[in-house]
Each structure stands twice: as C-alpha cells, then as structure tokens.
Amino acid sequence: MSGYLPVLDWGRRYDRRRLISDGVAAVIVTVMLIPQSLAYAMLAGLPPVVGLYASILPLVAYAIFGSSRTLAVGPVAVVSLLTATAAGAVAAPGSSEYISAAVVLALLSGLILLAMGIFRLGFVANLLSHPVISGFITASGLLIAASQVKHILGVKAGGHTLIELGQSLLPALSTTSLPTLMVGVAATVFLFWSRSKLKPTLERFGLPPGVSTLLSRTGPVLAVAVSILAVIGLDLEARGVAVVGNVPRGLPPLALPPLDLALWSTLLPAAFLISVIGFAESISIAQTLAAKRRQSIRPDQEMIGLGMSNLASAFSGGYPVTGGFARSVVNFDAGAETPAAGAYTAIGIALASLFLTPLIFHLPLAVLAATIIVAVLSLVDLGTLRRTWRYSRFDFASMAGTIVVTLAAGVEAGIITGVALSLLLHLWRSSRPHIAVIGQVPGTRHYRNILRHDVVCAAEVLSVRIDESLWFGNARAVENEIQRVVSERPDLKHLVLNCAAVNGIDASAFESLELVIHRLADQGIDLHLSEVKGPVMDRLAKSSFAEHLTGHVFLSHHEAMEALAPECTKRADRMTRQTSDAPKPSSRPGSIAR
Amino acid sequence: MSGYLPVLDWGRRYDRRRLISDGVAAVIVTVMLIPQSLAYAMLAGLPPVVGLYASILPLVAYAIFGSSRTLAVGPVAVVSLLTATAAGAVAAPGSSEYISAAVVLALLSGLILLAMGIFRLGFVANLLSHPVISGFITASGLLIAASQVKHILGVKAGGHTLIELGQSLLPALSTTSLPTLMVGVAATVFLFWSRSKLKPTLERFGLPPGVSTLLSRTGPVLAVAVSILAVIGLDLEARGVAVVGNVPRGLPPLALPPLDLALWSTLLPAAFLISVIGFAESISIAQTLAAKRRQSIRPDQEMIGLGMSNLASAFSGGYPVTGGFARSVVNFDAGAETPAAGAYTAIGIALASLFLTPLIFHLPLAVLAATIIVAVLSLVDLGTLRRTWRYSRFDFASMAGTIVVTLAAGVEAGIITGVALSLLLHLWRSSRPHIAVIGQVPGTRHYRNILRHDVVCAAEVLSVRIDESLWFGNARAVENEIQRVVSERPDLKHLVLNCAAVNGIDASAFESLELVIHRLADQGIDLHLSEVKGPVMDRLAKSSFAEHLTGHVFLSHHEAMEALAPECTKRADRMTRQTSDAPKPSSRPGSIAR
C-alpha cells in the first residue's frame, strides 16, 4: 500500500525536527510562489487567481502521492505556454470557455498521467531525447519572453509563434504606454540584478550567507510589493498602467470539471503533450535532487503523484501543473526534508488567497511580465547547442530542428517535429551499420578492425564484425556489404561473422541471413558465426536456421579461427603485440588505438 | 555513362543467339501479358486499352534504363489496386478525370522514382519490412479477389475495404446474372485447373516437358479466346453477359500529362506509396532472379529504370507500372537473356493493339475477373504468417496488423499502419536493452552471461555487458539497471562495462553515462570500459568524457580483469573449461550453451 501512497512511508517517521525544516522551506517557497503563480496564470491567458488555485490542492495531492521528497509542484512556465496554445485553439482568452478548457486540460493530463503510472508506461517520456527537450525548453523560453513584451510595452498583441508575435507587436509599438514601459523596465532590471547581485549585497551588509541566499530569492516579492505601492502612491493606473484588477477573495471553489466530451476529445492530444513534457521536466529535476541525497525516484509513482496533482487542480478551478525547476531547488536548498513542505506551502498560498488578494488589485501586469521574462530567460541554454554540435551532428540536427520549428510554428509543432526528427535520425543511423573486417591482435586472443590496428589475418578465412543489431532497416545494406567484401577475395573459403555486437535479428534480417548463406554457398564459401548472444541464439534455434547454415557456431571468435585457420592463429599467438596496440591500464580515452 | 544506361553495356555484346532466346521469351510473355494488361486495367477502374498502352513504351524504357536482365515490367495487381484507390478518391471511375488521375499517378511515380534513384534514396524501401510487405501483399490479394466478385456475379458493387465490398455486394446478390455467373465460374475453374494440371496433361499427350511448361502458361489466353467465341456463338451479350466493348484500335497516343498542380499535390502521397511499394516488390523479384544467374542488381539504377518506365507510361496514356512477379519468372524460365526481350514484348503488344482489339470487343468481363482472381490468390501466403509467429511475436504483430488494417480500412491505411507499427516495435525493442552480468569462461579469455554459463567472477569487480547501442530511448533504463546491479553488491570497488555490443552512444546517453559515473563515484565505485569500438571511442574522445571517467578504458575485457582482479583471473585461466561450455567446431546452433 505504501507503494502507491509514499506518505505512509515517510509520514510514520515524521517528527518535530522535520516539521521545523519543512516549515522554514515552505515559508520561503510560498513567498516565491505567490508572484510566480499569478504570473504563470497570466502567461497561460487565465485570470491570475487561477494560478493561486493551482498552487493549493495540487500541492497537497502531490505531498500524499509523489515519490520525490523535495519536488515543488505548481504552475510552471512551459506548461503554462502549452496550456495557452491548446486553450487558445478552442476559445478566446478571457472567455469562460477558455477557463473551462484549461480545467479540462488539467483533468485530462491528470487522467493520462494516472493511467500511464498505473500501467507503467513511463517509458513514453524516454521518446524525448535530451537534445529535443533542451532545444524545446530554450525555444519555449524565448517564445515566452517574446510573448510578455506586450505587457512591458502596455500594448495589445498576441500570437503563438515568433513570427506572429513580431507581426502583431510591430504595428502596436506606436501605442506604447510610457509609464508602463518605465515600470516594466525598472522591474526587469531590478529582477535581473537581484538574481545575481542581491546575495553579495546582503552579505556585504553583514548578513550570514545562509540568510542572504534565502532573502535573495525574495526579489520577485519585493518587486511586487514596491510596484503595488508605487501604483497606489503615484496613481499610475490613471496614467495607463494596466493592473491585475479584481481578484476574487477566498479559497478555490470545489467543482466538477465540465463534462463536454467533444471538448475533451479536441483537447486530448494537447493534454497528452502537456502530460509527457511536464513529466519529462519534472522527473529530471526530481532525479537530480534525489541523487544529491542518495534517495530514489520511482518514475511510475511519480506519474501517479503528478496525475493526482493535476486532478486536484482540475477539481479546484486550476490548470495543469508539474514540478518546477527553480522552486524545487529553493525548496531543497531551504532544507525541505519531506513532501510535507509542499502541504505547508499550500497552507501559505491558501492564506494568501484569503487575505492578500485585495492588495494584488493594484499589481501592474508589467511587473508580472518582468517576473516571467527574468525566470524564463534562465531556461535559454545556447551552450548545450554548441556542445551538442561538437558531440554529434545528428543530435545537433534534432536540437536545432526543435528550436527552429518551435519558434517558427509554435510549441506543439516544435515538440512533434523534435521527437519525429530524433527518431528518424536514430533509425537512419542504425540502418547504415558499421561493418569491420577484423583480424587477431598479435599476442592476444582479441580481434579488432584491420583499418585501425596492426592485426593478423588468414587468406582463406575472412572475419567480419557487424556493429549493429540486424533488422529490416539494415538487412539489405548488410547483404550488399557482405557481398562486396567477399567479392574482393577470390580465394575465400570461410566467412566468420562475429556477432558480439548483434543484439537481435528480426524476421526480415533472418530471411536476409538465409539468403546470404545460400549466395555464399553458391560461391563455395561456408558461413560461420561466432560470439552469438544467448537471446539471439535462442531465436535462431527456434527456426529452420540450423538446416541452412553451411558452417558452425563458435563460442568465441578465437575458437573459430583456431578451427578454421590454425597455422595463422598459432603464429599470431606467438607474436608480441605492437606497442601502439597496447593500452596501459593507466591509459585514458582518446589516447589509445582501438 | 553506361552506369546510367545499362543498354550500352549489354547492347554492345548482343548477338544472334541472344536475339533468338529473347525473341522466344518475348512471344510467351506477350501471350501472357495481353489478358493480364486488360484485366489489371479493369482492376484499376480504367478502360482495358489503358492496360495495353501501359505495356508498350514502359517496356522499351525499362529495356534501356533497367539494371535487371529479366524483369518483366508492366501493369501489376497491387499497383493497379493502389491506382484505383488513389484515382477513386479524386474522380468517378470511368470519367475522363479518373483517367487523367491515373496518368498523373504514373507521371508522379516516375518523377519520384527517378529522383530517388539519382539521389540514391533507395534505402527508403528498406522501411518496408518483410512481414509488412508480405502481410500487405496477402491482404491486397484478398481485397483484389473480393473486388472482382461483382464481375463474376454480373452485378454492380464497389468499395475499397472488405467491409465496403461486402456491404455493397450483399444487397446486389439478388440481381445476379446467371449466364455471367456460369461464364465466370467456368473460367475460374479452368484457370485454376490449368495452373496446376495443364502441364501434366500436355505431357501425358506426349509433348516434351519444356514445351508443356510454356504451353501451360497459355491458360489465360485460351480462356480469353474460347470465351470470345462463346459470346459470339451463343449471343451471350443479349443474355446479359457484360463484355469489354469497344476498344480503340491503334498505337497509344503520345500526349503530355495534364498539368494540373492542384491534382498533382493531391495525388502526391499516393504516388509516393505506389513508387515505394512498386519498387519494393520489383527489386525483390529482380534480385531473386539475378542471384540465380550470379548477376547483380543496382537498386539506385533500378529506381531510375522504373522511373523512366513510369514516365513513358504517363506520356503514352498509360498508368503506373512496375516489375511483375509471375511474368518475370516466365520471362526468365523462357530463356530471356537481356532486357531486349522486354522491347520485343512491347512490339508484340503493339501489334495486338493494332490488330486484335476488334476481337476483344466480345471478351466477357467475368473472364477478366477470373484471370485476376486466379492470379492474385497465389499472392495470398498464410504460411508466412505462421512461420513469423514462431520466429518473433513482434514481427507477427506487424504482419497481422498490416493485414487487418488493409482489409478493414484499405490499402493506404494498411501500409502506413504496417510501417508505423514495425518501426515502433523496433524502437520499443531497442529501448529495453538486454543487460548481462558476465564472468570468465574458465580456461579461456572469453566472458559470458553468468546466468547461462559456468563462469568465474571476482567479488570486488563487476563485469556488465550492455547488449544495445546507447541512445535516448534506453538511456534511462540502462541508468536504472546499473544502479540496480550495483546496489546488490555492497563490496564493489570496480564496475567494468563491456561495450562490445555498444555500437553508438548518442548525446542523451552520453549525459546519462556521465551521470552514472558521478553516481558510482559517490558510492566509491570506479567505472571502467572495455572493448569500446573505434567509432564510439572517436566520439567520446571529442567530448569531456576523459575528465569524468573515474576508471580506465581497456582494449579487451580480459585485460581489464587482469589489471583489476589479477588473482581471480589467474585462477580462471588455469581451470579447464566445463564440457557443457565447450562447443566443438562441429556443433550446430541450438546445440551449444551460449
């Protein structure tokens, strides 16, 4: 039972010391979450209060069902953007249908995550490669920042791609509200400054490093408080500075999400994307933090935790939530020890929605936009782009493709293109296998590529290593390549395929292999296999393969050569290895011949 | 130049002996092709004469550009069905728009094949796995046979799926034309009989086997001739037997295909399917026949040959063509030696369209339908379904999925489902890698799975072999598995990853590997690699990997063990191998431990 309810596990050992650590962390996260939840709700095109609603019950649900000790769940930037895109496709922002759509997205995401968790389908998130996620987050960060420029300028604009945003912003530039721009720029500059400089400044004033670190996180709350005072004191509303306006006071309304099946089916694909992307983001944060304290995350339970969290959001007028990076790190650094910290944060937000909402009336939208811009620009990571280019052109192509399509055609097209591109490139790579002719490294019983090593080969026996599982995508390429290497050697009597790297042979490749055996037999060449793995051999044994094979199956490649070319093998055994082929145990990658 | 024009190669050595062989083969193929071309045009929903047109210039074009010596190009059943589906989606069968659509399909297929040949994109056809092609051909055969039942019954019906066909046939049963049914059933019975029994019967009448074989191929022509005489003699037309009717006499009209860009873009996806499926069918026949005479097929040139052939079809009022299985085998058996046989066949068909078309007027449609049914039912191959089930459940799932969707939702949905399913299953398989803990086979320097072999292991050094390339789909699974095997061994100091089966490490897996190194370091365990392949090592050397690796890279796994666990290795070296682990060179697959 405690498998599905981690709270039963840690709750049993809960004590006063943990209560205090969790309580301190919760206060700090609450202070951080109030402006974030308002801002991300605005980014999602929703009334700011929805952000508060999404930061209460979902946190309690995660505290009960989540497997991470320190993940801080709630509204996050990328999921808010995805919500805006999906809800914007079915209703006009600000309409009650739009709010319903957001609630339905939370409901569907919750159901999808719950189902995936129960049926252990967490591997679906593996389809998102690192370069694709990284590219998607970078591009989303840029898109989100661009979408907030209108609030800084105090103009009307919209759009879901960089092009649309640009097209709607340019003509609106002439209507820029100067007071709004001043408030927005001031807030942005202050927030950027507070990210890096507030902490050293506080330390210079003599505060201990720990306290400075925590206080430095209060930048957004300071900006919110000061700007509210400024709006009231300078009567900036009258000068055209847009503010949040009336926020209903009180706890979130418990209500059933709209039961509109047509709407559900329209939003299902978007809800699936939100679930998978939200999960992929969240699990990587959770695992990083868990590894630091030698704890473990169970991906399937994590899906259940996030699923329950989204269901709680849907039943309390919220919108899709997931684990947030910055908040989780703050929670961890502030000393949170159990998921109870999340529940205490929920109490903090509940108190805020009961008592602070009248103050939020005067909060300028430009300040919320500044909060968002400063938060998301830290997601933009172009260094990874450079590193990925150096490591692999294929991975770079996936990443660059994801970024370009996300910026030019929107988040949904971007992530779908990224996944498709990375899968196609993976298939393309494994459909062009590396095939090496190998020979014995003198003085060892080891066989390596003749092009990279000084090795010994026999004239009548050819050893070939195929560096790929055999499947329909490469079966024909392997056929052709074997025919090619064989045709270059007229004296050949035996071909030994080293199958150490062949991890599977599917039905198409199996037919190809039989064809190869018959074609070689026509040329008077026997085909042998060596180092065939257990699972592969099991499959071959179930088929008619044994009747077709003209040669034998050897445990090790050396045994095959001892049987087929004994003279040559004995000679190579007696030789001493070339120094260039002798990596010392102290050698480092890159320094040895392979 | 002779690379792109194989005719320059074989044409130079053309002599009288070859002329005679090719001529004889051409006569036999012509006799076979006349009824087939009429029938397949009817299957495609086109006037029968279009089938003749598609059997003249396309054959000449292939003779010039094709790389197979014996492939017989022309209308084939599956491509005709695909043409009917695609043209039927944009126009009503029998309309002039429908004929234009067929011509455009030939044009686009020609251009696609030509482009793929020139840019060497032939590997695209590799995406069609054997089980998918086999399932698709079987299901198409059943669909085609079902679609012809209406002609046998003499009723009106239509549809592109088994369900649609059934729904339109059932209510029409009451209008069955009895004379048509009799003609149709008689022709079907005769054709089935002649396939298997005509040859032995002729031999019993004293004809030599060679002549009997060739004469036995004339079954369809006999059926056509006899039924024409019967229609004229018994005045069957007046009794409701539908006949081909007026067929324009003369050579195909040379004309530009319609330049309707909207139509082109609508038909492009279908033309792509026709090209790839036609090519996949054709190349496998061509390679099978070429292998029998030790000739070779160049897939890229083959695409060019088929592309030119389809362009020739488009410019002479034809429809998409490709290499046909039965005709090619007959051509090969009849002794065709060069593609000139195809050009002579074209002359034969041209003569037929000049002089025989008035006779074809009285040919009953039911006889053409019988020809099609008998031809396509030989494509239905349920034995492969059973063999594939035994070999692999995954391959079986692809095949069964292709068959079911093709029958239930049509050819295009079927082939797309098949390709998607087979790729997804392939990805799924390689995302759950086989990971084995390995130990030294005593008396050898070879390391195998501890669960399958009696092997020697050291307590402080764990050897793990990962049987898959590392990529984003399995990176997380590998991480978890390594953590699992390590957590079971508290005394562990060294983990050696045997990378003999790791054919690639992508950027995501690389990040995972660095994470694994750091996590193991936290637990006081060094990570070593052995048997890393050249291409993989090259990539690692380009990265920051060397700075992170806590252990070393060893050429062979044995060297790693000699360095890390010398005592244990020496002991295992001195031991003699268990007999159960000693496959003799004479052992057969399945008979040895792996």
Side-chain angles (χ1 to χ4, degrees), chain A residues 123 126-127 129-131 283 287 291 294 390-392 395 422-423 426-430 434 443-446 448 452-453 465 467-469 471-473 476 500-501 503 505-508 510-511 519 522-523 531-535 537-543 545-546 549 551-556 559 563 577 581 583 585-590 592-594, chain B residues 123 126-127 129-131 283 287 291 294 390-392 395 422-423 426-430 434 443-446 448 452-453 465 467-469 471-473 476 500-501 503 505-508 510-511 519 522-523 531-535 537-543 545-546 549 551-556 559 563 577 581 583 585-590 592-594:
Chain A
F123 67 87
N126 294 352
L127 289 181
S129 73
H130 286 223
I283 188 93
Q287 280 178 326
R294 299 277 196 107
R390 270 217 314 274
Y391 186 73
S392 151
D395 283 306
S422 57
L423 288 176
H426 171 72
L427 290 170
W428 161 260
R429 184 156 35 190
S430 72
H434 179 251
T444 75
R445 295 179 197 168
H446 198 66
R448 294 305 279 260
R452 288 175 180 259
H453 297 256
R465 190 187 72 203
D467 285 354
E468 198 68 62
S469 295
W471 62 292
F472 60 90
R476 198 166 286 146
N503 304 309
I505 298 182
D506 76 0
S508 308
F510 177 72
E511 286 186 44
R519 285 193 196 148
D522 284 346
Q523 300 167 55
E531 309 194 4
V532 181
K533 291 175 183 183
M537 203 67 230
D538 288 347
R539 198 172 286 282
L540 292 181
K542 270 191 281 180
S543 70
F545 186 71
L549 188 64
H552 309 302
V553 178
F554 296 93
L555 182 76
S556 76
E559 286 175 13
R577 205 200 309 181
D581 267 318
S586 63
S587 71
R588 284 291 182 167
I592 62 162
R594 294 124 212 165
Chain B
F123 67 86
N126 295 353
L127 289 182
S129 73
H130 286 224
I283 189 93
Q287 279 178 326
R294 298 277 195 109
R390 270 218 312 275
Y391 185 74
S392 150
D395 283 306
S422 56
L423 289 177
H426 170 72
L427 289 171
W428 161 258
R429 186 155 34 190
S430 72
H434 179 250
T444 75
R445 296 181 198 168
H446 199 66
R448 294 305 278 262
R452 289 173 179 262
H453 297 257
R465 190 186 72 204
D467 285 356
E468 199 67 63
S469 295
W471 63 291
F472 59 90
R476 199 165 287 148
N503 303 309
I505 298 181
D506 76 0
S508 309
F510 177 72
E511 285 186 45
R519 286 195 195 148
D522 283 346
Q523 300 167 55
E531 308 194 7
V532 181
K533 291 179 183 179
M537 202 67 231
D538 287 347
R539 198 172 287 283
L540 293 182
K542 271 191 281 181
S543 71
F545 186 72
L549 189 64
H552 310 300
V553 178
F554 295 94
L555 182 75
S556 75
E559 286 174 12
R577 205 201 309 181
D581 266 317
S586 64
S587 70
R588 285 289 180 167
I592 62 161
R594 296 123 213 165

Side-chain angles (χ1 to χ4, degrees), chain B residues 420-472:
Chain B
L421 196 58
S422 56
L423 289 177
L424 282 178
L425 289 173
H426 170 72
L427 289 171
W428 161 258
R429 186 155 34 190
S430 72
S431 74
R432 330 208 88 194
H434 179 250
I435 295 181
V437 173
I438 55 175
Q440 189 175 2
V441 179
T444 75
R445 296 181 198 168
H446 199 66
Y447 290 75
R448 294 305 278 262
N449 191 342
I450 59 168
L451 300 177
R452 289 173 179 262
H453 297 257
D454 278 330
V455 292
V456 178
C457 297
E460 296 191 338
V461 184
L462 181 68
S463 296
V464 170
R465 190 186 72 204
I466 300 172
D467 285 356
E468 199 67 63
S469 295
L470 301 180
W471 63 291
F472 59 90

Side-chain angles (χ1 to χ4, degrees), chain A residues 352-396:
Chain A
S353 11
L354 280 174
F355 303 112
L356 298 184
T357 42
L359 295 177
I360 294 169
F361 185 99
H362 299 285
L363 174 59
L365 297 181
V367 172
L368 286 183
T371 316
I372 296 176
I373 290 175
V374 174
V376 297
L377 284 184
S378 70
L379 300 176
V380 175
D381 174 12
L382 296 172
T384 301
L385 202 59
R386 205 180 51 242
R387 270 201 309 283
T388 307
W389 166 261
R390 270 217 314 274
Y391 186 73
S392 151
R393 298 298 184 271
F394 275 47
D395 283 306
F396 176 81

